[in-house]
Amino acid sequence: MIRSNAALSSSPADAAGPLAAMVGRTAVRALYAELALHPKPGLVSPLDSGSHDDMDMGTFLRSLFALRGYFRTIAAAGAAGEDFATLRDLGIAAERRMLAATGGVNTHRGAVFGIGFLAAAAGWRMRRGLTLRGAALGETVADRWGAGILAAAPLVPASHGARAVQRYGARGARLEAADGFPTLFTLALPALDRALTLGADPERALMQTLFTLMAELEDTNLLHRGGPAGLAFVREGARCFLDRGGVFRGNWRAEALALHRACVARRLSPGGSADMLAAAHFVHALRRGWA
């Protein structure tokens, strides 16, 4: 339900209390749910390390432990109305903790950025008793911090995603966030809601959402690893999976595993789709108990 403004403290210190803590827990649980899902084509899971030689599930768990306070803190900062520079600095500090915990391996840079801003938007809206329905969280990110996101230089100019944006003209995570996460709100969340409405359990609903994203998203991780051909291969495989019925087909797990093995053989990993899936889980879960 919507909480009234009277139920929310007016002090920034109190904004770091129950509401921000709930947002933080929801973010960590979303990231764990994405990690635990399998078989995810080319991605790290309890099954194996996918197409990655430098990380496994343990690496991700150490990263999550290091980030456990970040999402609460950035939600509190959003609730207090902090500006882009403050949120950026919180993200930089969180990324340093992540890298220290993983020995320099980038496990959650995309989540630190994307879910970080969504968490800040959630803090801002929940503090004021505003709805989280529709694209409200994305609109808040765009309205309050979009200009700063576009104006700021990339924190890691030589990152794989930044290189893919420069080389192939892909949209990338920065433009997606500055525009209010249109892919999240027009593709990922509708796919998740539709799968649940059709009777899928949470695991199958998340898998259906992942394949929907893989079929459509201009994934910079795939572009970095396989160029346009690699992106096209994964898109085609995901579309075939969905066209045959997706998770509503009896042998869906075997089909997903076959594409997983094909991606591993080609060293392809749709990390952008995984980040978006975690964000969809986060927003969907936040809406439960709020409005």
Side-chain angles (χ1 to χ4, degrees), residues 18-264:
L19 289 178
M22 185 270 278
V23 173
R25 288 192 302 271
T26 304
V28 172
R29 287 170 181 165
L31 290 169
Y32 181 79
E34 184 279 318
L35 173 62
L37 190 68
H38 66 281
K40 303 189 301 285
L43 295 160
V44 174
S45 76
L47 184 67
D48 56 34
S49 295
S51 298
H52 300 271
D53 298 324
D54 59 346
M55 63 182 79
D56 57 18
M57 189 169 181
T59 317
F60 274 80
L61 290 174
R62 290 193 298 275
S63 177
L64 279 177
F65 187 78
L67 295 172
R68 66 194 186 283
Y70 162 65
F71 297 106
R72 178 189 63 82
T73 301
I74 200 167
E82 298 289 356
D83 61 11
F84 167 78
T86 299
L87 303 189
R88 178 197 60 201
D89 290 347
L90 289 172
I92 291 172
E95 186 170 314
R96 287 173 179 161
R97 291 193 296 274
M98 173 195 77
L99 294 173
T102 62
V105 177
N106 168 27
T107 45
H108 287 114
R109 181 175 289 145
V112 167
F113 177 76
I115 295 183
F117 275 105
L118 289 166
W124 192 87
R125 296 190 69 85
M126 293 167 74
R127 178 103 184 271
R128 291 154 181 81
L130 300 175
T131 184
L132 305 184
R133 296 291 180 186
L137 289 176
E139 291 166 359
T140 297
V141 172
D143 292 345
R144 295 194 58 79
W145 306 296
I149 291 170
L150 289 178
L155 295 179
V156 187
S159 70
H160 297 162
R163 289 173 179 171
V165 169
Q166 293 171 358
R167 182 173 182 180
Y168 300 109
R171 276 177 56 83
R174 293 176 67 215
L175 186 56
E176 181 75 15
D179 284 349
F181 297 95
T183 303
L184 172 62
F185 291 100
T186 64
L187 181 65
L189 280 162
L192 180 57
D193 289 337
R194 184 164 54 251
L196 291 168
T197 299
L198 291 174
D201 58 36
E203 178 196 29
R204 290 190 299 142
L206 288 173
M207 190 66 75
Q208 186 80 355
T209 305
L210 174 63
F211 273 80
T212 300
L213 285 163
M214 288 164 49
E216 301 294 336
L217 184 66
E218 193 175 36
D219 195 314
T220 56
N221 289 271
L222 289 173
L223 285 170
H224 165 73
R225 282 177 168 261
L231 176 63
F233 175 82
V234 172
R235 279 178 162 175
E236 178 62 21
R239 286 168 182 161
C240 288
F241 176 86
L242 295 170
D243 288 345
R244 287 192 293 265
V247 300
F248 298 99
R249 185 179 171 94
N251 64 341
W252 73 267
R253 193 178 295 277
E255 292 189 18
L257 183 59
L259 184 56
H260 170 65
R261 290 169 175 162
C263 286
V264 171

